[in-house]
Amino acid sequence: MRIPKEMLWILALFFIQQLPAVAAWGVDLPLLFVVLVGLRTDLPKAGGWGFLMGLLQDLLSSGWIGPNTIAKTLTGILASLSKRHIYRERVLTQTFLVFLATLFHQIFIWVLLKWDGTAPPAGDALGILVRSLMATTLAGVVVCFFVVRFRKRRFDPATA
Amino acid sequence: MLKFFLKNISRFLLTAALLFCAWLLIERNSHRADAGSGPKGATLALWLPFQESINWLISFPENTLNAVRELRVLRQEVERLQLENQSLRLELANHKSVETELSRLQEVLQIKAHLPHAAKIARIIAHDPSTWDSSFIVDVGSDDGIQEDSPVISEQGMVGRVIEVTAKNSRVLLLTDNGSSVAGIDDRSRVTGIVQGTGHNQLRYAYVNAGEDIQKNDVLVSSGMGGVFPKGYPIGTITKKTESENGLNTEIEVAPAVDFAALDYVFILPPVDVYQ
């Protein structure tokens, strides 16, 4: 039986995401994946990937199902919309997009949690946001470097 | 000629006998003497380099071939030894890892001996993938007798409580989760309050009246109130106390007693009402 490579990507991503070191640092690898895929695919696919990754994250976490699903779907769509304005062959521009996307994603989740009544106090929320923003952006620098340097052109519809 | 030889045969035989004796004497003497001295030595000194050169010339191709053959064998041998070395190093590393795991398990078993009878040892298998929640999943579930709201501890102190149970796994909500709270007491001054999670690796000691005797480095333990967590387990150490200017609010930061990122095994106690 042939396992689709996307499935392997997801398994690997969530395996790493659930390691204590990654969880403790607040890195959001599924978000990074959604942003980088969104930057390279059309809008429906980017939204689909965002939905799938967010849903899995919500299903595997202790919180209610929704915040990550909604926030990642929107982030994927926004990443796809920004592909006309972001030069994706540069590490710096991609990292900047990762930074903005993480900021948007975390603020959006906080708004959803606030609406639900389960949001932490503003000070704690800011702590979570800053930690995740820094860790995900730093992880983004490393991942974007490898994506730009070693990406196989045939996977990129724009340059295929 | 023959007539002359036969006529003087005795002389010839005598000469031969004398020559033979002389040869015997020389031969015997040569064994005693130093091989490198005298005529024999001189002869050998002249002859041997030549002999050696010839031998070398004759054996050179064979030696060269043998050397090449041996080189190949040696290279194979080196490769084999390198592989063996790597394998032994790996085995050694594995032994060390097993040894560490063994001592860790021995520690865990020693701690378990001091816990309530029904405490279960659980291995952490996954941490929460969401950045807004703090929990992990362990490898024991309802099949092992785990129930919701069971307190979870480690050898360092309080870890959290079980919030979801399936047949084979359970989810533990950490003290650091922003939805988590536990009744605590200052071990020195006996001031009570509620320890709340902040969503990152820090706790807050809340509902403490302003002016209460709380100092930096005080240890907080569970007070047993609230009916979820048993009494007397370490929660954390006070790291910072800030009072507002009007003296009405007190902000107390607490460092957890447990290093959550380094945890691999935890103990799940039965719910408090079961053994109290």
Side-chain angles (χ1 to χ4, degrees):
Chain A
M1 193 185 80
R2 190 176 164 274
I3 303 167
K5 70 172 187 296
E6 289 83 1
M7 186 73 86
L8 294 174
W9 267 109
I10 294 169
L11 286 174
L13 205 68
F14 276 93
F15 175 77
I16 297 168
Q17 181 65 31
Q18 291 187 88
L19 292 175
V22 177
W25 279 96
V27 181
D28 198 334
L29 289 178
L31 176 67
L32 204 56
F33 182 85
V34 169
V35 173
L36 295 180
V37 167
L39 206 53
R40 288 171 171 77
T41 49
D42 55 11
L43 202 137
K45 273 187 186 169
W49 273 111
F51 178 81
L52 183 68
M53 300 307 261
L55 184 65
L56 271 171
Q57 206 169 2
D58 277 337
L59 285 170
L60 290 168
S61 75
S62 61
W64 51 283
I65 298 169
N68 279 294
T69 314
I70 300 166
K72 282 197 171 57
T73 308
L74 282 175
T75 309
I77 289 168
L78 289 175
S80 181
L81 286 173
S82 70
K83 73 181 172 190
R84 286 181 186 278
H85 312 286
I86 294 281
Y87 180 57
R88 63 168 174 265
E89 301 310 317
R90 279 187 70 188
V91 177
L92 199 67
T93 48
Q94 281 195 45
T95 309
F96 182 64
L97 183 69
V98 169
F99 174 83
L100 286 181
T102 311
L103 189 66
F104 166 79
H105 177 268
Q106 297 297 69
I107 290 173
F108 195 82
I109 287 187
W110 183 72
V111 169
L112 282 174
L113 293 176
K114 196 87 182 156
W115 169 76
D116 179 60
T118 52
D124 293 348
L126 190 68
I128 297 169
L129 188 146
V130 170
R131 187 184 60 144
S132 177
L133 192 63
M134 284 169 66
T136 310
T137 309
L138 276 175
V141 175
V142 179
V143 174
C144 290
F145 175 79
F146 283 102
V147 167
V148 170
R149 291 274 164 165
F150 304 110
R151 180 183 55 84
K152 287 180 182 169
R153 284 185 177 273
R154 64 194 170 89
F155 288 137
D156 190 347
T159 52
Chain B
M1 180 76 180
L2 187 65
K3 204 185 267 183
F4 175 77
F5 181 74
L6 288 171
K7 197 177 172 182
N8 297 299
I9 192 164
S10 55
R11 283 180 189 168
F12 279 114
L13 284 173
L14 183 66
T15 310
L18 286 171
L19 282 171
F20 182 65
C21 287
W23 179 77
L24 280 177
L25 282 170
I26 291 166
E27 184 62 25
R28 188 174 169 77
N29 204 39
S30 72
H31 281 293
R32 283 188 195 156
D34 183 7
S37 66
K40 196 166 183 170
T43 314
L44 285 174
L46 283 170
W47 172 251
L48 282 180
F50 177 70
Q51 178 71 40
E52 276 174 4
S53 305
I54 297 291
N55 279 347
W56 185 81
L57 280 173
I58 292 166
S59 60
F60 177 73
E62 194 186 345
N63 284 345
T64 311
L65 279 174
N66 281 343
V68 170
R69 218 173 287 145
E70 277 170 12
L71 197 68
R72 201 183 300 153
V73 171
L74 282 172
R75 197 171 289 162
Q76 284 172 349
E77 184 73 359
V78 166
E79 279 171 12
R80 191 186 66 79
L81 287 170
Q82 277 175 342
L83 275 174
E84 197 176 310
N85 188 24
Q86 278 176 3
S87 148
L88 286 170
R89 274 170 187 269
L90 202 69
E91 209 171 307
L92 187 68
N94 191 31
H95 275 299
K96 278 183 184 166
S97 156
V98 168
E99 207 173 290
T100 314
E101 178 79 4
L102 194 67
S103 66
R104 177 86 188 93
L105 286 171
Q106 277 171 344
E107 258 175 46
V108 166
L109 286 172
Q110 277 171 3
I111 295 158
K112 189 178 183 288
H114 299 288
L115 293 174
H117 182 65
K120 298 274 179 203
I121 299 173
R123 193 167 61 87
I124 299 165
I125 51 175
H127 283 253
D128 202 310
S130 172
T131 51
W132 289 81
D133 304 299
S134 307
S135 69
F136 57 66
I137 297 169
V138 291
D139 66 344
V140 289
S142 58
D143 285 358
D144 307 283
I146 303 298
Q147 298 172 42
E148 271 188 31
D149 280 338
S150 299
V152 181
I153 61 162
S154 79
E155 71 274 21
Q156 296 166 318
M158 193 67 76
V159 172
R161 67 187 165 93
V162 176
I163 53 164
E164 282 172 31
V165 183
T166 63
K168 303 282 179 200
N169 301 107
S170 308
R171 183 183 290 281
V172 176
L173 188 74
L174 304 186
L175 288 183
T176 50
D177 188 275
N178 57 55
S180 186
S181 57
V182 52
I185 185 166
D186 187 313
D187 206 24
R188 182 185 58 81
S189 63
R190 313 309 289 172
V191 173
T192 55
I194 302 291
V195 182
Q196 296 175 328
T198 60
H200 41 99
N201 197 27
Q202 199 180 311
L203 303 167
R204 181 190 304 113
Y205 199 34
Y207 302 107
V208 176
N209 292 328
E212 291 278 16
D213 181 16
I214 299 281
Q215 289 174 15
K216 195 180 168 185
N217 294 330
D218 277 1
V219 174
L220 296 180
V221 296
S222 52
S223 70
M225 285 186 280
V228 175
F229 295 100
K231 194 177 174 181
Y233 288 101
I235 297 172
T237 309
I238 290 171
T239 53
K240 196 178 172 187
K241 181 186 172 189
T242 319
E243 283 190 13
S244 64
E245 283 181 12
N246 57 18
L248 293 174
N249 298 316
T250 312
E251 188 80 22
I252 302 165
E253 290 176 13
V254 180
V258 176
D259 181 2
F260 294 100
L263 277 180
D264 47 3
Y265 290 94
V266 289
F267 304 98
I268 303 182
L269 307 178
V272 170
D273 53 348
V274 172
Y275 64 93
Q276 272 189 348

